[in-house]
Amino acid sequence: MADTIKYLLPEEQIPKFWYNLMADLPSPPPPPLHPGTLQPLGPDDLAPLFPMSLIMQEVSAEREIEIPAPVREIYKQWRPSPLFRARRLEKALDTPAKIYYKYEGVSPAGSHKPNTAVAQAFYNHEAGIRKISTETGAGQWGSSLAFAGALFGIEVQVFMVKVSYQQKPYRRALMETYGARCIASPSMETNVGRAILAKSPDSSGSLGIAISEAVEVAASRDDTKYALGSVLNHVLLHQTVVGQEAMKQMEMAGDDPDIIIACTGGGSNFAGIVFPFLGAQLRGGRKRRIIAIEPAACPSLTKGKYAYDFGDTGHLTPLVKMHTLGSTFIPPAFHAGGLRYHGMAPLVSHIKDLGLIEARAYRQTEVFEAGVQFARCEGIVPAPEANHAVKGAIDEALKCKQDGKSRTILFNLCGHGHFDMQAYTDYFAGKLTDRSYEEGDLAMALAGLPSVPA
Amino acid sequence: MADTIKYLLPEEQIPKFWYNLMADLPSPPPPPLHPGTLQPLGPDDLAPLFPMSLIMQEVSAEREIEIPAPVREIYKQWRPSPLFRARRLEKALDTPAKIYYKYEGVSPAGSHKPNTAVAQAFYNHEAGIRKISTETGAGQWGSSLAFAGALFGIEVQVFMVKVSYQQKPYRRALMETYGARCIASPSMETNVGRAILAKSPDSSGSLGIAISEAVEVAASRDDTKYALGSVLNHVLLHQTVVGQEAMKQMEMAGDDPDIIIACTGGGSNFAGIVFPFLGAQLRGGRKRRIIAIEPAACPSLTKGKYAYDFGDTGHLTPLVKMHTLGSTFIPPAFHAGGLRYHGMAPLVSHIKDLGLIEARAYRQTEVFEAGVQFARCEGIVPAPEANHAVKGAIDEALKCKQDGKSRTILFNLCGHGHFDMQAYTDYFAGKLTDRSYEEGDLAMALAGLPSVPA
């Protein structure tokens, strides 16, 4: 029997620096704008929301940013994360392709999110902050920040999209086990929430609304800062430990990826595995195919417009240039809650615009079919988000079979699906739908994009 | 900040042999008896249920039994499992004790159970078996055998205690994701099940009933064998990889445990970490305190009788001498489903009888309190079963503080609680009870023990 091979780095090889793609880009991404003045944002504009150390990372163009020793110490609990060669899956697919996956589900919260949650909690702690507000969709980010907050004695308050709050009680239980407070959004605790509930008492919420609530709390209270789990430059930066480790592990395996695949919601998981490889390419290294996979029901990269937009529904955030479906776009319900965001990280949008990456959208049922096949071969049950990358890898491997060519495929398995088993239950019961958004809704949301002079 | 330290062995140090405690015992445990003749069981008596290779392990007195290469290859996916020093917990407890834990939740199914599931699936596969029937209470064992079955192309059929089947749909979803068939027990598929349903149509089942159903299926079909997740000698044997690794990891840490703690249901988790250390002691090595922790609601070691009893409710199994609450004893509902068994592994019972180990029982709410404290310090949310060991370790660490003495404590964190979050939800909602059994019920169950001449 061909068996899965594990490539594990020694602890000393946890990266000592985060890698900043900004340093190697042929052109910088367009700057974020102040929503009132439409002028480029300065660091001070963000000071109510973030500690200055994170703001400086947000605007840094340094290639390497040192990872503080206490953050590396905490990383050691689960890092370096394993890289696997999926030989049992290769065999089941009868493909000449070699399939590798980096597995981030080994973190205590079960996904890649603690890579940045720990860093953000550390910098907030260093700045004397005792409370952080944030939002969460599926709950991966909320539980990761809850975990990190517990380590640094920081109170964490999580606005959880109401439909997830109701449908995913166990993610909420996880956050509460870590000591965080979890609030269904929209809530009566903020102006944004109250206004929405006054108009729509039955609102089931959205990530855009939850962001508005969390931002409002942080902006209006001196003792509270805000934390975001994706999209922003500094969040993507922290995830680059993933790709840096994967590069070393591919070397250990004596191999080199021809194709790199990751799912994209806000972009941090994708950036984590891709940016270090892309940086090497931009510095004159080998060119690889890089594929971002997104859900067909929320396809910012494949159907969105590359334009300035708000990051939230309440329009409290700066304007950022990104691939967006419009901040009023509400995607239909599907299980990969971490991919239900109307926009995309500005940095990921920028490299898409530069033609450095491809993007592809998949429907819900086909990604679960791929996830089940993966679980039966490899033993790990992927999160619904990760199933998008699994499907991408399987499709590329089958293409190799068709072409009679062996290519090396690397994808990021960003988390396990232990808290998402309802999705698998629905899949087996034939209850998963491939419901798409209404074309008219998307057109209306795009028509409502803020007008920003070029 | 004092941080958790991880001790990781290289892959080459996955044990090459399972350790058989039988070889070092001062006296062998009393033999299992045929329930009809009351004569010691021979290997052939077990042939309808197990492949001969496993039967030979069941009766072996060899100290070291080689782990087949294909089993070690699969182990490599998650083994060697990490050993952690819980420095954040030590600090929170303000104790001079050093607390180490071996973490088995890194396996694909999330507990120590795959250590034996993979081995059992391998030997069945080798014997040409294509179908295995088994039972599961909480679902840890059923999902582990489902995982192992998927790897070897073996159909797995799991009789799941009906109350768990209904209350833990996500464990069932996990088994189905691995391709197993999951049946609520008592079922209409067996004589035992039909008889029980005829008498009690609303029966919510028990592990004893589910074992009877699974055994009946295997015994009555030529193409099907049976697999058990605990209790039997060969199952305990397979778990000794845990303790063997822990011994090396404690050496890496430059330390040596004064106290070893594990929870006990059927006994395999306990045996896994304890037997290699105990064997070294029996061969003239250092004596350590060894503590088995069980639930106060199902206290076979602390309140049971050391006597011959059936392993199941339907009385299809051999008679084994063990600490038992009586095969008709039905413990009250509690969340640590893996510890809801009326008996105890004969080998564990024997060493308890020899005075080589201590036993202690805890109530449900106090073990969850310990589990939540552990999660907030260490980041890992333990399974309800594992919380018993956590509580034991915390109590011993607090005793060190009281005594002003530093002792080294090692416990086995046998699995994560991702599929048990309802229990945590209930805990936070104040809905967990410490309901005990009725004394009269226990007396009646013990009075019904089969009479076996000494």
Side-chain angles (χ1 to χ4, degrees), chain A residues 1 3-9 11 70 73-80 84 87-88 101 107-110 147 150-152 167 169-171 173-180 371-372 375-381 416-419 421-425 428, chain B residues 1 3-9 11 70 73-80 84 87-88 101 107-110 147 150-152 167 169-171 173-180 371-372 375-381 416-419 421-425 428:
Chain A
M1 195 167 65
D3 261 302
T4 298
I5 310 175
K6 179 173 63 181
Y7 299 94
L8 212 51
L9 296 169
E11 215 166 73
E73 280 305 307
I74 295 172
Y75 279 174
K76 285 180 186 170
Q77 190 180 350
W78 71 93
R79 305 211 70 84
F84 292 101
R87 290 211 298 177
R88 294 195 293 248
Y101 59 99
S107 79
F147 155 67
L151 301 189
F152 287 99
Q167 288 177 358
Y170 297 156
R171 270 281 170 201
L174 180 59
M175 291 182 241
E176 290 174 351
T177 300
Y178 288 140
V372 168
R376 288 182 185 175
C377 292
E378 298 295 313
I380 298 169
V381 178
H416 62 62
H418 300 171
F419 295 93
M421 294 310 294
Q422 184 61 47
Y424 284 88
T425 302
F428 288 118
Chain B
M1 194 169 64
D3 261 302
T4 298
I5 310 175
K6 178 173 63 180
Y7 298 95
L8 212 51
L9 296 170
E11 217 166 72
E73 279 305 307
I74 295 172
Y75 280 174
K76 285 181 185 170
Q77 189 180 350
W78 70 95
R79 305 211 70 84
F84 291 102
R87 290 212 298 176
R88 295 195 292 249
Y101 60 98
S107 79
F147 155 68
L151 301 190
F152 287 97
Q167 288 178 359
Y170 297 155
R171 269 283 170 200
L174 180 59
M175 290 182 244
E176 289 174 351
T177 300
Y178 288 139
V372 169
R376 289 182 185 175
C377 291
E378 299 295 314
I380 298 168
V381 178
H416 62 63
H418 299 172
F419 295 93
M421 296 311 293
Q422 185 61 46
Y424 284 89
T425 303
F428 288 119

Side-chain angles (χ1 to χ4, degrees), chain B residues 60-350:
Chain B
S60 170
E62 265 183 87
R63 181 171 289 123
E64 294 184 331
I65 294 177
E66 194 176 351
I67 303 176
V71 172
R72 286 186 84 235
E73 279 305 307
I74 295 172
Y75 280 174
K76 285 181 185 170
Q77 189 180 350
W78 70 95
R79 305 211 70 84
S81 69
L83 177 91
F84 291 102
R85 177 159 166 209
R87 290 212 298 176
R88 295 195 292 249
L89 178 63
E90 291 169 14
K91 198 181 163 205
L93 297 172
D94 189 24
T95 173
K98 290 186 272 185
I99 305 175
Y100 293 86
Y101 60 98
K102 178 78 170 161
Y103 183 43
E104 289 292 309
V106 293
S107 79
S111 76
H112 64 296
K113 295 290 189 189
N115 296 329
T116 183
V118 168
Q120 293 191 51
F122 166 79
Y123 287 116
N124 274 282
H125 176 75
E126 226 192 4
I129 305 304
R130 303 299 308 268
K131 291 187 191 177
I132 300 180
S133 71
T134 195
E135 70 289 321
T136 201
Q140 293 273 20
W141 167 243
S143 48
S144 298
L145 192 66
F147 155 68
L151 301 190
F152 287 97
I154 294 176
E155 273 182 49
V156 174
Q157 176 171 337
V158 184
F159 289 92
M160 185 172 189
V161 177
K162 195 181 276 173
V163 59
S164 294
Y165 183 91
Q166 290 162 342
Q167 288 178 359
K168 301 201 166 195
Y170 297 155
R171 269 283 170 200
R172 184 186 144 200
L174 180 59
M175 290 182 244
E176 289 174 351
T177 300
Y178 288 139
R181 185 169 158 246
C182 191
I183 305 139
S185 164
S187 77
M188 292 301 284
E189 305 204 4
T190 64
N191 292 330
V192 169
R194 284 186 292 269
I196 287 167
L197 288 172
K199 257 202 290 189
S200 321
D202 297 332
S203 167
S204 59
S206 75
L207 206 50
I209 295 170
I211 294 176
S212 296
E213 291 207 276
V215 167
E216 183 186 321
V217 166
S220 60
R221 293 189 203 157
D222 278 348
D223 66 347
T224 305
K225 295 283 178 194
Y226 169 70
L228 189 67
S230 190
V231 179
L232 298 178
N233 298 346
H234 69 272
V235 183
L236 275 54
L237 176 80
H238 300 156
Q239 293 296 350
T240 58
V241 289
V242 177
Q244 289 183 67
E245 286 179 6
M247 288 181 89
K248 290 186 193 164
Q249 286 164 309
M250 290 301 305
E251 265 177 49
M252 267 180 88
D255 219 330
D256 191 68
D258 301 303
I259 305 170
I260 305 174
I261 294 170
C263 66
T264 42
S268 77
N269 160 62
F270 177 82
I273 190 142
V274 161
F275 282 8
F277 285 98
L278 183 59
Q281 171 183 324
L282 292 171
R283 293 191 303 275
R286 182 180 167 212
K287 183 163 165 45
R288 302 174 175 89
R289 279 183 67 208
I290 297 173
I291 311 173
I293 313 275
E294 60 184 12
C298 193
S300 56
L301 281 172
T302 54
K303 302 274 180 169
K305 200 169 156 186
Y306 185 46
Y308 272 101
D309 195 9
F310 289 98
D312 69 327
T313 305
H315 295 183
L316 301 180
T317 71
L319 290 169
V320 290
K321 191 156 184 188
M322 59 181 175
H323 287 81
T324 179
L325 301 162
S327 66
T328 60
F329 178 80
I330 307 273
F334 58 86
H335 278 290
L339 308 184
R340 290 184 81 246
Y341 183 59
H342 69 274
M344 179 54 60
L347 263 176
V348 174
S349 293
H350 183 57

